[in-house]
Amino acid sequence: MTLIDIFDPKARPTPIGIDLGTTNSLVARVRDGKPFVIDDCNGERLVPSVVHYDARGGTTVGHAAKRLAQAHPRETIVSVKRFMGRGADDPETRRLGPYEFMAPSTPEEAKSVRFQVRGRAVTPVEVSAELLKELRTSAERELRSVGPAVITVPAYFDDAQRQATKDAGRLAGLEVLRLLNEPTAAALAYGLDKQQNGLFAVYDLGGGTFDITVLLLDDGVFQVKSTGGDSALGGDDMDRALAGRLLAEMGVEGATEPEVVRLALDLARDVKHRLTESPAVEVEIPVAGSADATRQITVTRDEFDALVAPIVERTGVACRRALRDAGVQASELTGVILVGGSTRVPFVRSYVARIFGKEPLGDIDPDEVVALGAAIQADILAGSQERADEVLLLDVLPLSLGLETMGGVAEKILPRNTTIPTGARQTFTTYADNQTGFDLHIVQGEREMASDCRSLARFTLKGIPPMPAGLARLEVTFRVDADGLLSVTAKELTTGVEQKVEVKPSYGLTDEQVEEMLLAALDHGEEDLEQRRLVEGRVEADRVLLATRKALAADADLLEAGERERVEEAMTALEQAMKGTRAGVLQRRIEALDEATHGWAGRRMDRAVARAIAGRQVEDLESEVAHSKGVDQHVAEHRANAGGGG
């Protein structure tokens, strides 16, 4: 008897969760309150993240594309996730595969990698979109009607990489509900499945990225305490290390021919997988200089461990930093959750156990756990009544966000490890008279000077009427959404002139940049603070000198005998201190000038008051004073709410 699948056209489209991985990708859904990974048409759950472009302009995705990679290495894009958000001149770009790249002809084209495939340019966003289309097709085959999607990204993906992932989803015809950090997705799947509370570390080592997240699970509340990682570190690096050994055995060490490199990488990946179960494996390799000759070599697990140890040990730096940022010791952790296919490598598991002092939890398939968590989150966001009150996700910013202020100082508005979504505002003012615009430079990083941080965006707020220095009020608002994407709004309060910018930086962070940004902030902490004090002192000194010169031009007749000489002597000393590099000396010279002008300033104030009240009625003055107090109180309250001013 044949069973008929009855499809209800009024049924709500099913939300899906997608793990867009470096090596493999998966799609999952929730059924009867439980998450499940959806099989493709061949009954496979893991879809290799490989896209082949044929001569007719068509594409092949997944297992079939992977089989074509060795014969067509330049037309088959593998591990495209490592190119997401990277610029054309990023040094990491040329190292990542046997590809040809289109040379950028405009500054806009230089902002992203462009593969040269059969005479045309293909971007990482387009390649990722092909992968997402394949996953969407698999989901439609089972569900008929696919709803909105949650797509996971590494926690250390920056704005450019997150935006590129979101663009790929839209290009694939998906409604992207949320970008969810991979470690958080894994903890979500693990926590709800096991119903455990406690403090967990999620160690996520995939094909191309590494993330470490410390989070607290407390009755459905997932609060990320800290996050760290490396956006260019993963199983691909292990493959390349072993491929170098295999190329040497072949007699073609340092070979650059695409076909040879692809063969070595494919053999290395196969050996890596087999060594997970066996202490030694036999591998057949071609002999250089002969078309058909091959020979057998043996690769042991100990040899492989020695090759990959430097790669795996790089994860330890981020792990220790994440624990320090969270303010916890490894012994305080309830458990360590393993995520990503590369955590199957025995050396990785033993290393994790060593640095955390406990055996990691790996009973949920590390390849599937991220997709399962994404499906749960998609189900919640799409309005699942069963789970609506079960879970609350509280993620954090990986790096501080702020503005460059006068003198090149980086003013942090949102510190790193701030829970997202979040927002903050701060009020600034003008430095010079008759300033009609503000140049805003948005930066990311932990250093005190903007030049030592990463530039995200620049824009100008124009149309402000000329005013004396200090009267204009610029309110700058930073907002980071649940996807970790930043928007900045600048508004001049006295005129209402406003501008908003969606921050879409051009380049993704490399592993060196991420590590350097955090370690440099620690290594140069005292030096940076001294430099900041010096720069801010020079800005203040310049302002005081300018105000003093204007006062001398207007009210020199109020100076008493010998007073002008003392003021000018203090001004000269301050000008000399500005040329030096000692912030403390500069501050003392500012105070000395203030002391020298103190009596004179009082007499100037008396003159100004006398001029203001000349010929005025007492009642009018009382009314104006009362109004002025009300305005001052309003401004003070606003500045307090804004977090200060500059």
Side-chain angles (χ1 to χ4, degrees), residues 86-136:
R86 292 192 181 279
D89 59 354
D90 190 323
E92 183 77 0
T93 296
R94 304 288 171 178
R95 194 177 72 86
L96 290 177
Y99 308 114
E100 290 185 3
F101 300 96
M102 299 283 279
S105 56
T106 66
E108 192 64 29
E109 288 182 354
K111 292 180 180 180
S112 65
V113 172
R114 298 188 307 151
F115 301 102
Q116 182 170 307
V117 181
R118 300 191 186 275
R120 71 183 183 95
V122 177
T123 67
V125 169
E126 293 173 294
V127 178
S128 296
E130 293 296 336
L131 293 169
L132 291 170
K133 286 177 187 175
E134 180 71 14
L135 296 171
R136 188 193 70 189

Side-chain angles (χ1 to χ4, degrees), residues 129 132-133 136 140 146-149 166-176:
L132 291 170
K133 286 177 187 175
R136 188 193 70 189
E140 287 173 341
V146 170
K166 207 164 189 178
D167 290 344
R170 284 195 288 263
L171 192 59
L174 292 167
E175 177 192 348
V176 182

Side-chain angles (χ1 to χ4, degrees), residues 473-488:
R473 298 289 176 187
L474 179 69
E475 182 183 83
V476 180
T477 304
F478 277 42
R479 289 190 178 89
V480 178
D481 64 18
D483 295 326
L485 299 175
L486 170 66
S487 64
V488 178

Side-chain angles (χ1 to χ4, degrees), residues 24 102 181 186 222 309 345 361 463:
N24 297 295
M102 299 283 279
N181 286 349
F222 288 68
V345 174
L361 306 170

Side-chain angles (χ1 to χ4, degrees), residues 234-306:
D236 286 356
D237 298 285
M238 300 182 195
D239 297 343
R240 280 198 288 271
L242 182 54
R245 152 85 193 278
L246 297 179
L247 288 170
E249 292 284 355
M250 294 177 195
V252 288
E253 187 173 8
T256 58
E257 294 83 357
E259 294 79 9
V260 176
V261 172
R262 176 52 57 198
L263 171 63
L265 287 171
D266 289 345
L267 284 173
R269 183 167 295 178
D270 179 62
V271 169
K272 178 182 70 176
H273 292 166
R274 290 162 60 195
L275 284 173
T276 299
E277 304 296 335
S278 303
V281 298
E282 296 285 328
V283 57
E284 186 177 24
I285 61 171
V287 176
S290 175
D292 302 313
T294 61
R295 67 187 182 93
Q296 296 283 123
I297 65 168
T298 300
V299 180
T300 68
R301 185 181 291 172
D302 289 342
E303 291 171 335
F304 178 69
D305 289 351

Side-chain angles (χ1 to χ4, degrees), residues 332-347:
E332 298 177 60
L333 295 175
T334 307
V336 181
I337 300 171
L338 292 182
V339 181
S342 296
T343 61
R344 296 181 185 277
V345 174
F347 182 80

Side-chain angles (χ1 to χ4, degrees), residues 98-259:
Y99 308 114
E100 290 185 3
F101 300 96
M102 299 283 279
S105 56
T106 66
E108 192 64 29
E109 288 182 354
K111 292 180 180 180
S112 65
V113 172
R114 298 188 307 151
F115 301 102
Q116 182 170 307
V117 181
R118 300 191 186 275
R120 71 183 183 95
V122 177
T123 67
V125 169
E126 293 173 294
V127 178
S128 296
E130 293 296 336
L131 293 169
L132 291 170
K133 286 177 187 175
E134 180 71 14
L135 296 171
R136 188 193 70 189
T137 300
S138 295
E140 287 173 341
R141 192 176 293 111
E142 177 173 319
L143 304 173
R144 299 288 184 92
S145 180
V146 170
V150 167
I151 302 176
T152 62
V153 293
Y156 246 64
F157 257 24
D158 70 352
D159 285 276
Q161 293 163 309
R162 290 170 188 270
Q163 191 62 53
T165 304
K166 207 164 189 178
D167 290 344
R170 284 195 288 263
L171 192 59
L174 292 167
E175 177 192 348
V176 182
L177 268 176
R178 176 79 50 89
L179 298 180
L180 182 63
N181 286 349
E182 289 165 2
T184 310
L188 181 59
Y190 193 92
L192 287 184
D193 182 64
K194 299 296 182 183
Q195 293 297 311
Q196 288 190 7
N197 287 337
L199 194 64
F200 288 84
V202 182
Y203 182 99
D204 182 357
L205 186 61
T209 59
F210 168 67
D211 285 313
I212 177 68
T213 296
V214 179
L215 48 76
L216 179 66
L217 280 65
D218 184 13
D219 292 334
V221 176
F222 288 68
Q223 182 180 3
V224 176
K225 308 296 287 185
S226 68
T227 189
D230 195 323
S231 62
L233 175 66
D236 286 356
D237 298 285
M238 300 182 195
D239 297 343
R240 280 198 288 271
L242 182 54
R245 152 85 193 278
L246 297 179
L247 288 170
E249 292 284 355
M250 294 177 195
V252 288
E253 187 173 8
T256 58
E257 294 83 357
E259 294 79 9

Side-chain angles (χ1 to χ4, degrees), residues 359-390:
E359 286 298 320
L361 306 170
D363 49 331
I364 298 180
D365 190 328
D367 283 319
E368 297 183 1
V369 66
V370 168
L372 297 175
I376 292 170
Q377 178 69 349
D379 191 51
I380 293 169
L381 293 177
S384 169
Q385 295 301 312
E386 295 178 11
R387 294 181 181 271
D389 299 322
E390 281 189 32

